Amino acid sequence: MGEPLAIDSITASVVQGALENIAVEMRYKLMRMSYSSIIRESEDFGAALVDAEGRGLAESAQSTPLQSGPIPGYIRGILKALRKRRDAVRPGDVIMHNDAYGGASHGPDVGFVVPVFHDGRLVAFAATTAHHLDIGALSPGSCGIVDASTPMPKASNSKPSRCMTAASATTLYGSCCVTTSASPTSSSATWKRKSPPRGLAPSGSSR
């Protein structure tokens, strides 16, 4: 391994500002494009950038702290699950995750994660999370959490699962989730828009 690069404080500040701006832009895009009122109006969602090892880089300060804060845990849960499957993230992947036993916050908060590659090497993840009003919980509006004794009454549970690859969108899993929702049209449209925009990946990265 070579010597670590020496970066002056001014350069570090500029880079940090750029990363935070990306997270803010992710937040605005998700909010403005969402069909869900709890995302568009209540702004119950998060947006953040995390490094390849699951350490937080930047988050949108305008997002709900309860949503943005757990995102590094989502990433670590995804990486752990993939290692267990002897799998790895690839350029073009979009991974869905809401398993509370795998680093997610709780069932109704669903995360969508996109790996960022530079010169063929995984360098970061762009992720959004958001609360969904009903994705198969015990009662409408995710109100089943009051009497929940297991994760199932809270929402449909999803361990890290690819919902898109570089080649094509995987519709089977999304269709299954939508059929458990009381508002399938809104859920389907919102989930398609929740994936962090790939255009935010650094110049020269693989998408």
Side-chain angles (χ1 to χ4, degrees):
M1 297 178 63
E3 292 294 325
L5 296 175
I7 302 178
D8 64 89
S9 58
I10 294 177
T11 300
S13 181
V14 170
V15 171
Q16 182 64 30
L19 294 176
E20 290 175 355
N21 186 65
I22 291 173
V24 169
E25 289 296 323
M26 289 166 57
R27 177 254 183 189
Y28 277 118
K29 186 166 185 178
L30 173 58
M31 182 183 70
R32 295 181 66 179
M33 296 182 67
S34 177
Y35 279 76
S36 170
S37 60
I38 201 169
I39 298 175
R40 188 179 63 252
E41 298 175 12
S42 299
E43 301 183 22
D44 189 0
F45 63 88
L49 298 174
V50 179
D51 74 6
E53 297 180 17
R55 297 172 295 192
L57 295 173
E59 64 183 53
S60 172
Q62 296 82 7
S63 301
T64 304
L66 181 63
Q67 293 280 10
S68 295
I71 287 179
Y74 278 74
I75 304 301
R76 290 192 290 270
I78 289 171
L79 292 174
K80 182 178 179 179
L82 291 177
R83 285 194 296 269
K84 187 175 181 179
R85 300 173 195 165
R86 297 184 179 180
D87 197 359
V89 292
R90 299 184 290 268
D93 282 350
V94 177
I95 299 172
M96 176 183 173
H97 177 33
N98 76 331
D99 179 22
Y101 290 105
S105 51
H106 78 134
D109 293 342
V110 183
F112 284 81
V113 176
V114 173
V116 179
F117 288 79
H118 180 70
D119 290 336
R121 182 170 67 94
L122 176 66
V123 295
F125 294 90
T128 64
T129 62
H131 184 96
H132 291 263
L133 289 173
D134 185 4
I135 52 172
L138 178 66
S139 55
S142 301
C143 293
I145 63 175
V146 177
D147 300 315
S149 57
T150 71
M152 296 311 295
K154 297 174 67 176
S156 298
N157 189 50
S158 168
K159 297 184 183 300
S161 307
R162 284 186 180 85
C163 57
M164 186 176 293
T165 66
S168 63
T170 303
T171 58
L172 179 60
Y173 189 82
S175 298
C176 177
C177 292
V178 168
T179 58
T180 65
S181 172
S183 53
T185 301
S186 175
S187 295
S188 177
T190 295
W191 291 0
K192 288 178 181 178
R193 283 167 159 72
K194 266 198 65 187
S195 300
R198 301 182 189 185
L200 292 178
S203 176
S205 64
S206 299
R207 299 174 187 166

